[in-house]
Amino acid sequence: MDNFWQNFLLEIALFTALGILYYFYQKRRLNSYEENKKPLVMGFILHACLSEKNEEAQPLLDTLIEALDDYVHQRIALPPISLLRGYLDSSECSAELREVIQEGLIEIEADGEK
């Protein structure tokens, strides 16, 4: 019976150690996600803008795509929020793209408040 309790306590200690390691692993992943949230959101907006792009010239959308691409590829330090807001208020912006941009801006602003 003494061997049973030793094995039981050893298993409890092993699972506790594994649980603690898993906790720190998940905490590191969440911190990494929070650090990269702005480029991720801007990347989603960039993909939505690229899917909205037509063959015809759209100067506002073209400048927005270039600015988003520069931010995602770390050529500029700050996200082009003013360009996003300007395009959001223009008549060229479709309803679907407007929704994506608004959700992205909400996410970025919520990240700035923390």
Side-chain angles (χ1 to χ4, degrees):
M1 194 63 165
D2 188 33
N3 193 20
F4 168 77
W5 287 109
Q6 280 182 333
N7 288 340
F8 181 71
L9 291 176
L10 185 63
E11 288 177 8
I12 295 291
L14 177 67
F15 287 132
T16 302
L18 288 174
I20 290 171
L21 288 175
Y22 185 71
Y23 166 77
F24 286 117
Y25 169 73
Q26 288 295 344
K27 184 177 178 183
R28 186 182 60 164
R29 281 186 60 203
L30 284 173
N31 287 338
S32 172
Y33 171 75
E34 289 295 324
E35 289 171 2
N36 297 324
K37 185 187 281 186
K38 282 184 185 177
L40 253 169
V41 170
M42 290 296 169
F44 290 141
I45 294 173
L46 175 62
H47 285 287
C49 289
L50 287 172
S51 68
E52 196 72 24
K53 177 96 173 95
N54 295 339
E55 294 295 321
E56 55 198 48
Q58 297 172 317
L60 284 176
L61 185 59
D62 291 339
T63 57
L64 179 62
I65 288 173
E66 289 175 12
L68 286 170
D69 187 53
D70 287 343
Y71 179 74
V72 169
H73 289 100
Q74 298 175 350
R75 293 184 205 120
I76 58 174
L78 297 174
I81 293 178
S82 60
L83 283 174
L84 284 169
R85 290 189 193 280
Y87 186 70
L88 198 61
D89 295 335
S90 74
S91 62
E92 291 181 21
C93 189
S94 69
E96 296 85 16
L97 187 56
R98 180 172 281 123
E99 186 176 324
V100 170
I101 292 173
Q102 285 174 342
E103 290 298 321
L105 288 175
I106 289 170
E107 189 70 31
I108 289 173
E109 290 168 353
D111 185 42
E113 292 174 0
K114 291 180 183 178

